[in-house]
DNA sequence: ATGGTTTTTACTGCGTC
DNA sequence: GACGCGGTAAAAACCAT
């Protein structure tokens, strides 16, 4: 009696286990991939990658060839489609470039439903009212409105300066922090936005000079530098002095010079670094001088005034620096 | 506020095209 | 003569104290 009961429950368990283990195959098909072009070093049997355990295993002898590969799949398992819907938690990416991180409700302007059909006139009126209120709630308080405007400004200036998206992201984060720490009162949105972008550009290694910044900003350099200092002090941002090399590519391309010049300029700067003559000198001046000197060495001469033009630095500074750089190169060589 | 350092401004002389 | 370049002196800007 007891024997039979045990046996039936055993059988049930086995069946259950089988059903559990067999269903995932149906949902996620790529748990084991065959590696056609590779064979096992031991028995030359075919290899399979087990993405769940991050291993590459021989199908015949079981030898583990590679371990710790990255499993890019989800950490959960789903046994049917509805579970997959439930457990999956991916969605649209958030971005700091929008004042609400792109997470708020957005009602489209087309008067179409989800199937693309036009709405009835009463529905249209309803949607229009919803749009109005949605917009009011979305930019309800002053901070939100402030942020919205500032991010618009950052975007505009970044475009004008040809700064990539990651810089805008960084600038947005900085601005958001400044706003959170109540650094704004007494300062203009423009000023803080400009300072944020300037700081972000330097942090991400694609610096723009203060001159360039104020050229596209609506604030003057006094306010800009004052705000910038304030921001980095209050937010404790650590900004290293700009590396002269980070200016080189832009100058080179603005002057239509070759890669050889760019390489030469970098080497000159490196030699100058070894000789210890970079500290205290303006990075822009160094970069401009290095580009000028490299253009001479590569027989692609550009004039000092041309370089001073694109670098917005005086010719005198270029002269002084490039002499020093060439001397340092002599020593290094 | 101050002093030291760096950059800019303005000017000059030289050589070349 | 215009231009590029090198140099200088003085003014201005910048930075740490």
């Amino acid at each position: 009696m007891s024997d039979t009961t045990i046996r039936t429950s055993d059988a049930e368990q086995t069946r259950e286990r089988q059903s559990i283990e067999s269903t995932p195959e149906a949902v996620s098909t790529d748990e084991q991939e065959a590696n056609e072009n590779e064979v096992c070093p031991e028995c030359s049997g075919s290899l399979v990658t087990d993405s769940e355990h991050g291993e590459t295993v021989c199908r015949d002898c079981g030898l583990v060839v590679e371990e710790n590969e990255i499993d890019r799949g989800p950490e959960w398992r789903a046994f049917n489609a509805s579970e997959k819907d439930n457990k999956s938690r991916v969605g649209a990416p958030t971005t700091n470039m929008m004042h609400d991180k792109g997470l708020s409700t957005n009602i489209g302007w087309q008067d179409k439903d989800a199937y693309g059909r036009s709405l009835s006139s009463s529905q249209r009126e309803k949607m229009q009212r919803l749009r109005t209120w949605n917009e009011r709630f979305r930019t309800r308080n002053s901070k939100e409105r402030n942020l919205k405007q500032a991010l618009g400004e950052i975007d505009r200036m970044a475009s004008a300066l040809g700064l990539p998206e990651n810089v805008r992201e960084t600038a947005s984060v900085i601005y958001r922090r400044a706003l959170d720490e109540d650094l704004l009162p007494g300062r203009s949105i423009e000023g803080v936005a400009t300072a944020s972008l300037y700081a972000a550009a330097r942090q991400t290694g694609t610096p723009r000079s203060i001159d360039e910044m104020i050229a596209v900003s609506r604030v003057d350099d006094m306010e800009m530098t004052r705000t910038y200092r304030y921001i980095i002090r209050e937010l404790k941002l650590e900004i290293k002095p700009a590396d002269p090399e980070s200016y080189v590519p832009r100058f080179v391309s603005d002057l239509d010079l070759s890669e050889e010049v760019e390489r030469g300029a970098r080497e000159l700067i490196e030699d100058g670094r070894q000789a210890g003559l970079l500290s205290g000198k303006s990075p822009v001046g160094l970069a401009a001088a290095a580009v000028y000197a490299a253009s001479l060495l590569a027989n692609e001469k550009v004039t000092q005034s041309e370089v001073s033009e694109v670098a917005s630095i005086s010719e005198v500074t270029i002269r002084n620096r490039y002499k020093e750089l060439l001397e340092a190169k002599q020593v290094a060589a």
Side-chain angles (χ1 to χ4, degrees):
Chain A
M1 181 61 187
S2 60
D3 266 352
T4 48
T5 7
I6 291 170
R7 219 181 301 127
T8 41
S9 82
D10 255 354
E12 266 172 20
Q13 278 179 3
T14 323
R15 219 181 306 129
E16 220 172 86
R17 215 179 298 129
Q18 274 175 346
S19 74
I20 288 174
E21 271 165 14
S22 60
T23 14
E25 306 279 292
V27 179
S28 56
T29 51
D30 53 358
E31 253 181 5
Q32 289 207 334
E33 283 174 41
N35 277 17
E36 274 109 79
N37 39 7
E38 303 208 53
V39 291
C40 174
E42 282 293 312
C43 66
S44 45
S46 61
L47 296 179
V48 289
T49 52
D50 182 340
S51 58
E52 190 177 348
H53 299 106
E55 294 169 342
T56 299
V57 195
C58 173
R59 186 177 280 159
D60 295 334
C61 67
L63 178 76
V64 176
V65 183
E66 285 177 60
E67 274 182 281
N68 297 327
E69 293 170 42
I70 299 171
D71 180 3
R72 290 184 175 76
E75 86 288 6
W76 42 265
R77 299 210 300 174
F79 300 104
N80 57 45
S82 73
E83 262 189 57
K84 196 168 187 176
D85 280 348
N86 275 333
K87 291 183 176 175
S88 178
R89 47 183 133 67
V90 292
T94 63
T95 169
N96 279 303
M97 287 161 67
M98 294 184 201
H99 75 290
D100 50 17
K101 305 196 184 190
L103 286 173
S104 62
T105 305
N106 211 350
I107 303 175
W109 53 271
Q110 303 102 328
D111 285 314
K112 299 274 176 67
D113 67 12
Y115 302 101
R117 291 189 294 253
S118 294
L119 297 174
S120 66
S121 66
S122 67
Q123 285 283 352
R124 268 209 299 279
E125 278 176 40
K126 186 177 175 186
M127 293 318 287
Q128 192 52 56
R129 284 198 302 279
L130 285 174
R131 264 197 284 272
T132 306
W133 278 104
N134 188 43
E135 196 61 22
R136 279 179 197 166
F137 277 114
R138 192 145 54 141
T139 56
R140 182 169 29 173
N141 58 49
S142 62
K143 271 194 180 178
E144 287 293 294
R145 278 200 303 278
N146 183 326
L147 196 51
K148 198 176 179 183
Q149 189 190 339
L151 295 185
E153 276 306 315
I154 287 173
D155 211 41
R156 181 184 62 77
M157 292 188 287
S159 300
L161 292 169
L163 288 167
E165 193 161 295
N166 65 327
V167 180
R168 296 178 210 189
E169 279 276 1
T170 310
S172 306
V173 173
I174 295 174
Y175 191 92
R176 211 178 275 275
R177 283 189 57 198
L179 197 58
D180 285 344
E181 311 229 345
D182 286 327
L183 266 42
L184 264 296
R187 260 156 278 270
S188 72
I189 294 173
E190 269 282 339
V192 181
T194 314
S196 300
L197 186 59
Y198 177 67
R202 290 187 57 171
Q203 263 192 337
T204 51
T206 47
R208 294 291 182 270
S209 67
I210 295 176
D211 284 343
E212 291 173 290
M213 293 298 308
I214 61 166
V216 298
S217 172
R218 293 187 227 277
V219 298
D220 56 38
D221 57 341
M222 271 274 288
E223 179 175 0
M224 148 87 199
T225 50
R226 209 178 49 228
T227 313
Y228 170 69
R229 261 183 256 283
Y230 181 70
I231 295 275
I232 58 167
R233 182 159 42 88
E234 292 299 318
L235 297 181
K236 299 192 172 51
L237 295 176
E238 292 203 8
I239 300 197
K240 293 174 292 246
D243 186 346
E245 283 190 50
S246 54
Y247 292 98
V248 169
R250 192 155 47 93
F251 294 165
V252 166
S253 95
D254 282 355
L255 293 165
D256 288 324
L257 294 167
S258 69
E259 298 215 0
E260 191 190 343
V261 175
E262 180 170 341
R263 228 177 7 257
R266 286 183 193 281
E267 279 169 22
L268 283 165
I269 291 171
E270 201 46 52
D271 290 345
R273 198 193 309 278
Q274 302 297 329
L277 45 80
L278 298 203
S279 78
K281 306 286 165 44
S282 103
V284 190
L286 256 323
V291 169
Y292 173 71
S295 83
L296 291 182
L297 296 174
N299 278 327
E300 295 181 42
K301 199 163 152 26
V302 285
T303 66
Q304 293 175 359
S305 65
E306 282 171 313
V307 181
S308 83
E309 184 76 20
V310 300
S312 47
I313 206 87
S314 80
E315 298 172 44
V316 180
T317 306
I318 293 176
R319 282 202 279 275
N320 292 334
R321 285 302 90 74
Y322 103 89
K323 271 185 300 176
E324 295 169 4
L325 285 175
L326 289 179
E327 276 175 36
K329 183 186 164 64
Q330 295 295 325
V331 177

